[in-house]
Every structure is written in structure tokens, then in C-alpha cells.
Coordinates of all heavy atoms in Angstrom, one line a residue:
M6 N 0.9 -1.2 0.0 CA 0.0 0.0 0.0 C 0.9 1.2 0.0 O 1.9 1.3 0.6 CB -0.9 0.0 1.2 CG -1.8 1.2 1.3 SD -2.9 1.1 2.7 CE -2.0 1.9 3.9
T7 N 0.5 2.3 -0.7 CA 1.2 3.5 -0.7 C 0.2 4.7 -0.9 O -0.9 4.5 -1.5 CB 2.3 3.5 -1.8 OG1 3.2 4.7 -1.5 CG2 1.8 3.6 -3.2
L8 N 0.6 5.8 -0.5 CA -0.2 7.1 -0.6 C 0.5 7.9 -1.7 O 1.8 8.0 -1.8 CB -0.2 7.8 0.7 CG -0.9 9.1 0.8 CD1 -2.4 8.9 0.6 CD2 -0.6 9.8 2.1
S9 N -0.3 8.5 -2.6 CA 0.3 9.3 -3.7 C 1.0 10.5 -3.1 O 0.7 11.0 -2.0 CB -0.8 9.8 -4.6 OG -1.7 10.6 -4.0
P10 N 2.0 11.1 -3.8 CA 2.7 12.2 -3.3 C 1.9 13.4 -2.9 O 2.2 14.2 -2.0 CB 3.7 12.6 -4.4 CG 3.9 11.3 -5.1 CD 2.6 10.6 -5.0
D11 N 0.7 13.6 -3.6 CA -0.1 14.7 -3.3 C -1.2 14.4 -2.2 O -1.9 15.2 -1.8 CB -0.8 15.3 -4.5 CG -1.8 14.3 -5.1 OD1 -2.0 13.1 -4.6 OD2 -2.4 14.6 -6.1
G12 N -1.1 13.2 -1.7 CA -2.0 12.7 -0.6 C -3.5 12.5 -1.1 O -4.3 12.3 -0.3
E13 N -3.7 12.4 -2.4 CA -5.1 12.3 -2.9 C -5.5 10.8 -3.1 O -6.7 10.5 -3.1 CB -5.2 13.0 -4.3 CG -5.0 14.5 -4.2 CD -6.2 15.2 -3.5 OE1 -7.3 14.8 -3.7 OE2 -5.9 16.1 -2.7
L14 N -4.5 9.9 -3.4 CA -4.9 8.5 -3.7 C -4.2 7.6 -2.8 O -3.0 7.8 -2.4 CB -4.5 8.2 -5.1 CG -5.1 9.1 -6.3 CD1 -4.5 8.8 -7.6 CD2 -6.6 8.8 -6.3
I15 N -4.8 6.5 -2.6 CA -4.2 5.3 -1.8 C -4.2 4.2 -2.9 O -5.2 3.8 -3.5 CB -5.1 4.9 -0.6 CG1 -5.2 6.1 0.4 CG2 -4.4 3.7 0.0 CD1 -6.2 5.9 1.5
V16 N -3.0 3.5 -3.1 CA -2.9 2.4 -4.0 C -2.6 1.2 -3.2 O -1.6 1.2 -2.4 CB -1.8 2.7 -5.1 CG1 -1.7 1.6 -6.1 CG2 -2.1 4.0 -5.8
V17 N -3.3 0.2 -3.4 CA -3.2 -1.1 -2.6 C -3.0 -2.3 -3.6 O -3.7 -2.4 -4.6 CB -4.5 -1.4 -1.8 CG1 -4.3 -2.6 -1.0 CG2 -4.7 -0.2 -0.9
G18 N -2.0 -3.1 -3.3 CA -1.8 -4.4 -4.1 C -2.0 -5.5 -3.1 O -1.7 -5.4 -1.9
D19 N -2.5 -6.6 -3.7 CA -2.7 -7.8 -2.8 C -2.0 -9.1 -3.3 O -1.3 -9.0 -4.3 CB -4.2 -8.1 -2.6 CG -4.9 -8.5 -3.9 OD1 -4.3 -9.0 -4.8 OD2 -6.2 -8.4 -3.9
S20 N -2.2 -10.1 -2.5 CA -1.5 -11.4 -2.9 C -2.0 -12.1 -4.1 O -1.3 -13.0 -4.6 CB -1.6 -12.3 -1.6 OG -2.9 -12.7 -1.4
S21 N -3.1 -11.7 -4.6 CA -3.6 -12.3 -5.9 C -3.1 -11.5 -7.1 O -3.4 -11.9 -8.2 CB -5.1 -12.3 -5.9 OG -5.7 -11.0 -6.0
G22 N -2.4 -10.4 -6.9 CA -1.9 -9.6 -8.1 C -2.9 -8.5 -8.4 O -2.6 -7.8 -9.4
E23 N -3.9 -8.2 -7.6 CA -4.8 -7.2 -7.9 C -4.4 -5.9 -7.4 O -3.9 -5.7 -6.3 CB -6.2 -7.6 -7.3 CG -7.3 -6.7 -7.8 CD -8.6 -7.3 -7.3 OE1 -9.0 -7.1 -6.1 OE2 -9.3 -7.9 -8.1
L24 N -4.6 -4.8 -8.2 CA -4.2 -3.5 -7.8 C -5.5 -2.6 -7.7 O -6.4 -2.7 -8.6 CB -3.3 -2.8 -8.9 CG -2.8 -1.4 -8.6 CD1 -1.7 -1.4 -7.6 CD2 -2.3 -0.8 -9.9
K25 N -5.7 -1.9 -6.6 CA -6.8 -1.1 -6.4 C -6.4 0.3 -6.0 O -5.4 0.5 -5.3 CB -7.7 -1.6 -5.2 CG -8.3 -2.9 -5.5 CD -9.1 -3.4 -4.3 CE -9.6 -4.8 -4.6 NZ -10.3 -5.3 -3.4
V26 N -7.1 1.3 -6.6 CA -6.8 2.7 -6.3 C -8.1 3.3 -5.7 O -9.1 3.3 -6.2 CB -6.4 3.5 -7.6 CG1 -6.1 4.9 -7.3 CG2 -5.3 2.8 -8.4
F27 N -7.8 4.0 -4.5 CA -8.9 4.6 -3.8 C -8.6 6.1 -3.6 O -7.5 6.5 -3.6 CB -9.0 4.0 -2.4 CG -9.3 2.6 -2.3 CD1 -8.4 1.6 -2.3 CD2 -10.6 2.2 -2.3 CE1 -8.6 0.3 -2.3 CE2 -10.9 0.8 -2.2 CZ -9.9 -0.1 -2.2
T28 N -9.7 6.9 -3.4 CA -9.5 8.3 -3.1 C -9.1 8.3 -1.6 O -9.7 7.5 -0.8 CB -10.7 9.1 -3.4 OG1 -11.8 8.6 -2.6 CG2 -11.0 9.2 -4.8
A29 N -8.3 9.2 -1.2 CA -7.8 9.2 0.2 C -8.8 9.9 1.1 O -9.0 9.6 2.3 CB -6.5 10.0 0.4
T30 N -9.6 10.8 0.6 CA -10.6 11.5 1.4 C -11.8 10.7 1.8 O -12.2 10.8 2.9 CB -11.0 12.8 0.6 OG1 -11.6 12.5 -0.6 CG2 -9.9 13.8 0.5
D31 N -12.3 9.9 0.9 CA -13.5 9.1 1.3 C -13.4 7.6 1.0 O -14.4 6.9 1.0 CB -14.7 9.7 0.5 CG -14.6 9.7 -1.0 OD1 -13.6 9.2 -1.5 OD2 -15.5 10.2 -1.6
C32 N -12.2 7.2 0.6 CA -11.9 5.8 0.4 C -12.8 5.2 -0.7 O -13.2 4.0 -0.7 CB -12.1 4.9 1.7 SG -10.7 5.3 2.8
R33 N -13.1 6.0 -1.8 CA -13.9 5.6 -2.9 C -13.0 4.8 -3.9 O -12.0 5.3 -4.2 CB -14.6 6.7 -3.5 CG -15.5 6.4 -4.7 CD -16.3 7.6 -5.2 NE -15.4 8.8 -5.4 CZ -14.8 9.1 -6.5 NH1 -14.9 8.3 -7.5 NH2 -14.0 10.2 -6.6
L34 N -13.4 3.7 -4.3 CA -12.6 2.9 -5.3 C -12.8 3.5 -6.6 O -13.9 3.7 -7.1 CB -13.2 1.4 -5.3 CG -12.5 0.5 -6.3 CD1 -11.0 0.3 -5.9 CD2 -13.2 -0.8 -6.4
V35 N -11.6 3.9 -7.2 CA -11.7 4.6 -8.5 C -11.1 3.8 -9.7 O -11.3 4.0 -10.8 CB -11.0 6.0 -8.5 CG1 -11.8 6.9 -7.6 CG2 -9.5 5.9 -8.0
H36 N -10.3 2.7 -9.3 CA -9.8 1.8 -10.3 C -9.4 0.5 -9.7 O -8.9 0.4 -8.6 CB -8.5 2.4 -10.9 CG -7.9 1.7 -12.1 ND1 -8.4 1.8 -13.3 CD2 -6.9 0.8 -12.2 CE1 -7.8 1.0 -14.1 NE2 -6.8 0.4 -13.5
I37 N -9.6 -0.5 -10.5 CA -9.3 -1.9 -10.0 C -8.8 -2.7 -11.2 O -9.4 -2.5 -12.3 CB -10.4 -2.6 -9.3 CG1 -10.0 -4.0 -8.7 CG2 -11.6 -2.8 -10.2 CD1 -11.0 -4.6 -7.8
E38 N -7.7 -3.4 -11.1 CA -7.2 -4.2 -12.2 C -6.3 -5.3 -11.7 O -5.5 -5.1 -10.7 CB -6.4 -3.3 -13.1 CG -6.0 -3.9 -14.4 CD -5.5 -2.9 -15.4 OE1 -5.7 -1.7 -15.2 OE2 -4.9 -3.3 -16.4
T39 N -6.4 -6.5 -12.3 CA -5.4 -7.6 -12.0 C -4.3 -7.4 -12.9 O -4.4 -7.4 -14.1 CB -6.1 -8.9 -12.2 OG1 -7.2 -9.0 -11.3 CG2 -5.1 -10.0 -11.8
V40 N -3.1 -7.0 -12.3 CA -1.9 -6.7 -13.1 C -0.8 -7.7 -13.0 O 0.1 -7.6 -13.8 CB -1.4 -5.3 -12.6 CG1 -2.5 -4.2 -12.9 CG2 -1.1 -5.2 -11.2
H41 N -0.9 -8.6 -12.1 CA 0.2 -9.5 -11.9 C -0.4 -10.9 -11.7 O -1.5 -11.1 -11.2 CB 1.0 -9.2 -10.6 CG 1.9 -7.9 -10.8 ND1 3.1 -7.9 -11.2 CD2 1.6 -6.7 -10.4 CE1 3.6 -6.7 -11.2 NE2 2.7 -5.9 -10.7
S42 N 0.4 -11.9 -12.1 CA 0.0 -13.3 -11.8 C 0.5 -13.8 -10.5 O 0.2 -14.9 -10.1 CB 0.6 -14.2 -13.0 OG 2.0 -14.1 -13.0
A43 N 1.3 -13.0 -9.8 CA 1.8 -13.3 -8.4 C 1.4 -12.2 -7.5 O 1.0 -11.1 -8.0 CB 3.2 -13.6 -8.4
G44 N 1.6 -12.4 -6.2 CA 1.3 -11.3 -5.3 C 2.1 -10.0 -5.5 O 3.3 -10.1 -5.8
I45 N 1.5 -8.9 -5.3 CA 2.3 -7.6 -5.5 C 3.0 -7.4 -4.2 O 2.5 -7.4 -3.1 CB 1.2 -6.5 -5.7 CG1 0.6 -6.7 -7.1 CG2 2.0 -5.1 -5.6 CD1 -0.5 -5.7 -7.4
S46 N 4.3 -7.1 -4.4 CA 5.2 -6.9 -3.2 C 5.7 -5.5 -3.0 O 6.2 -5.2 -2.0 CB 6.4 -7.9 -3.3 OG 7.1 -7.6 -4.5
A47 N 5.6 -4.7 -4.0 CA 6.0 -3.3 -3.9 C 5.2 -2.4 -4.9 O 4.8 -2.8 -5.9 CB 7.5 -3.1 -4.3
I48 N 4.9 -1.1 -4.4 CA 4.2 -0.2 -5.2 C 4.9 1.2 -5.0 O 5.2 1.5 -3.9 CB 2.8 0.0 -4.7 CG1 2.0 -1.4 -4.7 CG2 2.0 1.0 -5.5 CD1 0.6 -1.4 -4.1
G49 N 5.0 1.9 -6.1 CA 5.5 3.3 -6.1 C 4.6 4.1 -7.0 O 4.0 3.7 -7.9
I50 N 4.6 5.4 -6.7 CA 3.9 6.4 -7.5 C 4.9 7.5 -7.9 O 5.6 8.0 -7.0 CB 2.7 7.0 -6.8 CG1 1.8 5.9 -6.4 CG2 2.0 8.0 -7.7 CD1 0.6 6.3 -5.6
S51 N 4.9 8.0 -9.1 CA 5.8 9.0 -9.6 C 5.4 10.4 -8.8 O 4.3 10.6 -8.4 CB 5.8 9.2 -11.1 OG 4.4 9.6 -11.5
P52 N 6.4 11.3 -8.7 CA 6.1 12.5 -8.0 C 5.0 13.4 -8.6 O 4.4 14.1 -7.9 CB 7.5 13.2 -8.1 CG 8.5 12.2 -8.2 CD 7.8 11.1 -9.0
D53 N 4.8 13.2 -9.9 CA 3.8 14.0 -10.5 C 2.4 13.3 -10.6 O 1.5 13.7 -11.3 CB 4.2 14.4 -11.9 CG 4.4 13.3 -12.9 OD1 4.3 12.1 -12.4 OD2 4.7 13.6 -14.0
N54 N 2.3 12.2 -10.0 CA 1.1 11.3 -9.9 C 0.6 10.8 -11.2 O -0.6 10.6 -11.4 CB -0.1 12.1 -9.2 CG 0.0 12.2 -7.7 OD1 0.9 11.6 -7.1 ND2 -0.8 13.1 -7.2
T55 N 1.4 10.6 -12.2 CA 1.0 10.1 -13.5 C 1.3 8.7 -13.7 O 0.8 8.1 -14.7 CB 1.6 11.0 -14.6 OG1 3.1 10.8 -14.6 CG2 1.2 12.4 -14.5
L56 N 2.2 8.1 -12.9 CA 2.6 6.7 -13.1 C 2.7 5.9 -11.8 O 3.1 6.4 -10.8 CB 4.0 6.8 -13.8 CG 4.6 5.6 -14.4 CD1 3.8 5.2 -15.6 CD2 6.0 5.9 -14.8
I57 N 2.2 4.7 -11.9 CA 2.3 3.7 -10.8 C 3.3 2.6 -11.3 O 3.2 2.2 -12.4 CB 1.0 3.1 -10.4 CG1 0.0 4.1 -9.9 CG2 1.2 2.0 -9.4 CD1 -1.4 3.6 -9.7
V58 N 4.2 2.2 -10.4 CA 5.1 1.1 -10.7 C 4.8 0.0 -9.7 O 4.6 0.3 -8.5 CB 6.6 1.4 -10.8 CG1 7.0 2.1 -9.4 CG2 7.4 0.3 -11.2
T59 N 4.6 -1.2 -10.1 CA 4.4 -2.3 -9.2 C 5.4 -3.4 -9.5 O 5.8 -3.6 -10.6 CB 2.9 -2.9 -9.3 OG1 2.7 -3.3 -10.7 CG2 1.9 -1.9 -8.9
A60 N 5.7 -4.2 -8.5 CA 6.5 -5.4 -8.6 C 5.9 -6.5 -7.9 O 5.2 -6.3 -6.9 CB 7.9 -5.1 -8.0
D61 N 6.1 -7.7 -8.4 CA 5.5 -8.9 -7.8 C 6.6 -9.8 -7.1 O 7.8 -9.5 -7.2 CB 4.5 -9.6 -8.7 CG 5.2 -10.3 -9.9 OD1 6.4 -10.6 -9.8 OD2 4.6 -10.4 -10.9
E62 N 6.1 -10.8 -6.5 CA 6.9 -11.8 -5.8 C 7.8 -12.6 -6.6 O 8.8 -13.2 -6.1 CB 6.0 -12.7 -4.9 CG 5.2 -12.0 -3.9 CD 4.1 -12.9 -3.3 OE1 3.7 -13.9 -3.9 OE2 3.6 -12.5 -2.2
I63 N 7.6 -12.7 -7.9 CA 8.5 -13.4 -8.8 C 9.4 -12.5 -9.7 O 10.0 -13.0 -10.6 CB 7.7 -14.5 -9.6 CG1 6.6 -13.8 -10.5 CG2 7.1 -15.5 -8.8 CD1 5.8 -14.7 -11.4
G64 N 9.4 -11.3 -9.4 CA 10.3 -10.3 -10.0 C 9.8 -9.6 -11.3 O 10.5 -8.8 -11.8
H65 N 8.5 -9.6 -11.6 CA 8.0 -8.8 -12.7 C 7.7 -7.4 -12.2 O 7.3 -7.2 -11.1 CB 6.7 -9.5 -13.2 CG 6.9 -10.8 -13.8 ND1 6.1 -11.8 -13.5 CD2 7.8 -11.3 -14.7 CE1 6.5 -12.9 -14.1 NE2 7.5 -12.6 -14.9
V66 N 8.0 -6.5 -13.1 CA 7.7 -5.1 -12.8 C 6.8 -4.5 -13.9 O 7.1 -4.8 -15.1 CB 9.0 -4.3 -12.7 CG1 8.8 -2.8 -12.5 CG2 9.9 -4.8 -11.6
F67 N 5.8 -3.8 -13.5 CA 4.9 -3.1 -14.5 C 4.7 -1.7 -14.1 O 4.8 -1.3 -13.0 CB 3.5 -3.8 -14.4 CG 3.5 -5.3 -14.9 CD1 3.5 -6.3 -14.0 CD2 3.5 -5.5 -16.3 CE1 3.5 -7.6 -14.4 CE2 3.5 -6.8 -16.7 CZ 3.5 -7.9 -15.8
F68 N 4.5 -0.9 -15.2 CA 4.2 0.5 -15.1 C 2.8 0.8 -15.6 O 2.4 0.2 -16.6 CB 5.2 1.4 -15.9 CG 6.6 1.2 -15.5 CD1 7.5 0.2 -15.9 CD2 7.1 2.2 -14.5 CE1 8.8 0.1 -15.4 CE2 8.5 2.0 -14.1 CZ 9.3 1.0 -14.5
W69 N 2.1 1.7 -14.9 CA 0.7 2.0 -15.2 C 0.5 3.5 -15.1 O 0.9 4.1 -14.2 CB -0.2 1.3 -14.1 CG 0.0 -0.2 -14.1 CD1 0.9 -0.8 -13.2 CD2 -0.4 -1.1 -15.0 NE1 0.9 -2.1 -13.5 CE2 0.1 -2.4 -14.5 CE3 -1.3 -1.2 -16.0 CZ2 -0.2 -3.6 -15.2 CZ3 -1.6 -2.3 -16.7 CH2 -1.0 -3.5 -16.2
R70 N -0.2 4.0 -16.1 CA -0.6 5.4 -16.1 C -1.8 5.6 -15.2 O -2.8 4.8 -15.3 CB -0.9 5.9 -17.5 CG 0.3 5.9 -18.4 CD 0.5 7.3 -19.1 NE 1.7 7.3 -19.8 CZ 2.8 7.9 -19.3 NH1 2.7 8.6 -18.3 NH2 3.9 8.0 -20.1
L71 N -1.8 6.7 -14.5 CA -3.0 7.0 -13.7 C -4.0 7.8 -14.5 O -3.6 8.5 -15.4 CB -2.5 7.9 -12.5 CG -2.0 7.1 -11.3 CD1 -1.5 8.0 -10.2 CD2 -3.0 6.2 -10.7

């Protein structure tokens, strides 16, 4: 789980490889996607809030536009 640099979004990854994006103010789900075939082990967001990077337990890394 990570918070966007501007504090507006919460990004959560789980053990099934699913990525969820919520608004930080009211925890409203704004995006959901299965992005990995293994559990997500790391999440980062670019300083300008335009890119999410995720890594999984088997070493795959993906980049996603917000």
C-alpha cells in the first residue's frame, strides 16, 4: 500500500496480483485491475502522480498510467 505524493490517492496491491486505487478523502474505489500473476510486493507512484510502478513476488515489474 502507498499514498500518492499529493495525498489524494491510496494504492493497494494484494497477494492475488490485484491493484486497487482509492481516493484518500472518502476511500472511494476509482480503479481496479489484476496486473500480476503473483502477489504484489512493492508499489510506487511518480512525484507528478501520473505513473504507478508495481513489482510482484516473482520479479515482474509493471508501469501503469494514472
Side-chain angles (χ1 to χ4, degrees):
M6 179 173 94
T7 192
L8 182 66
S9 64
D11 65 1
E13 296 289 321
L14 299 173
I15 300 167
V16 182
V17 179
D19 67 18
S20 61
S21 70
E23 190 171 78
L24 182 75
K25 294 178 183 176
V26 181
F27 298 90
T28 58
T30 54
D31 59 3
C32 293
R33 185 174 43 92
L34 180 64
V35 293
H36 187 79
I37 186 170
E38 190 165 347
T39 301
V40 296
H41 291 272
S42 58
I45 295 175
S46 58
I48 302 170
I50 303 176
S51 64
D53 63 357
N54 283 353
T55 61
L56 193 65
I57 296 173
V58 60
T59 57
D61 66 25
E62 297 169 338
I63 57 175
H65 296 128
V66 177
F67 293 101
F68 294 87
W69 305 95
R70 293 232 173 255
L71 279 174

